[in-house]
Amino acid sequence: MTFSMATNKGNMSTSAWIAATGVIDMETPSRFRAFLESEQNPPSQIVLHSPGGNLAAGLELGRMIREAGLTAHVGRSERTFESYNAPCDTWYDGVEAGICASSCAYAFLGGRERFVDSPYYPTGPNLLGFHQFYGSPERGRQMLTAAQAAEIETTALSVAQAITGQIVLYAIEMGIDPRVVAFASSTPSDDLYYPTSGELKELSIVSGSGLRAWFMEPYAGGLVTAARPYRSDSMLQQVTAFCQRGSGTANCLITMDLATPSYPNPDDLPLRAVDLAIDGQMHSVARRELTVRYGDRAIFITVPVERFKSRILEARRIEFGLDAARVMGGFREGNDMDDVARNSIALAWRNCI
């Protein structure tokens, strides 16, 4: 496996990534360590395209990916040359459909956030494949300590059993449902098991999407109700439903990462509107209606939603997003509403702060 810098030459945090391509061998972790040490500001994203290879190296690579706090994606990085006649800057990188199988699949689990089909690098369907490993004594020496090997020699425990235990512990360490090991173990080593989209979510193989459940808390003599995104790499930090004492009107406060240091004045932000989708119907709150201020490395956007209040309190699903220039960054996050969520938001709008 080789590691290289890739960029689509955009301005977002996901515009640059580490392209990891090829077979994983015993030297892969040391090459990855050397690559990270050679880059002054390595990207926060890694895009994996590999048929697999050495299992022990795959697990070590996964732990290094987690330690570096990288978000993992499946895909094949490709460089495109725009024109041979252009005077400069004639290339850019993109991501095509790819595969991450066998030991690569376990390395992928090391991602702080994990996407098989990435919202940042949309491609054709990508493949994440697991299979049963071959637990030979030779491979066992790469995975087991001397004490574990000695135990095998004096008990009925097999190399395969011992290595299975190591993989289960790795899955738990990475916050993945260890049942994924059972699926892999039932698939012959000359075949691949591709988890369905439902299994990817159920087993926590991929990161959740959208907003978590709404929660309520007291604030400034009143109540607020808020929801946070599943993904820690979302630019959105929180959506808060509140009303302000005096006006008594319904508002939502959007708190997002301040990723635009070139705009020291919030009035200059290239923000056109906040988008609100209610049961699939899009509504926009124009920039002139918004109140924007900066905090500690955060942007606070107050969105008046009084005119949508009744619809929100009856909604089955709501989503929040930005209509903004790409340099500002963006998000589109939402969740399905139940009676608890609707009643909690209604209570916040009745108990003003």
Side-chain angles (χ1 to χ4, degrees), residues 25-95:
D25 58 28
M26 286 300 294
E27 302 304 317
T28 294
S30 60
R31 284 197 297 270
F32 185 52
R33 184 176 294 106
F35 172 82
L36 292 178
E37 291 174 351
S38 69
E39 296 294 332
Q40 187 172 3
N41 295 297
S44 59
Q45 317 291 318
I46 184 168
V47 178
L48 295 153
H49 178 60
S50 169
N54 184 274
L55 178 60
L59 299 188
E60 185 178 355
L61 178 61
R63 289 189 170 98
M64 294 173 68
I65 289 171
R66 179 62 59 91
E67 182 180 358
L70 301 179
T71 296
H73 310 260
V74 177
R76 176 170 49 87
S77 300
E78 287 288 327
R79 179 157 295 181
T80 298
F81 290 89
E82 295 174 319
S83 170
Y84 288 101
N85 298 321
C88 63
D89 232 6
T90 62
W91 61 268
Y92 64 93
D93 295 315
V95 179

Side-chain angles (χ1 to χ4, degrees), residues 303-352:
V303 187
V305 294
E306 181 69 24
R307 67 182 183 272
F308 309 121
K309 181 176 178 179
S310 60
R311 292 205 58 200
I312 291 173
L313 296 179
E314 296 173 354
R316 296 183 301 276
R317 181 174 178 81
I318 58 175
E319 295 180 346
F320 299 87
L322 295 184
D323 181 0
R326 189 172 68 170
V327 67
M328 181 177 168
F331 58 84
R332 184 166 298 280
E333 309 283 10
N335 61 6
D336 294 328
M337 303 282 282
D338 56 18
D339 287 340
V340 173
R342 287 186 286 263
N343 291 338
S344 297
I345 292 173
L347 195 58
W349 283 340
R350 289 201 303 268
N351 291 268
C352 299

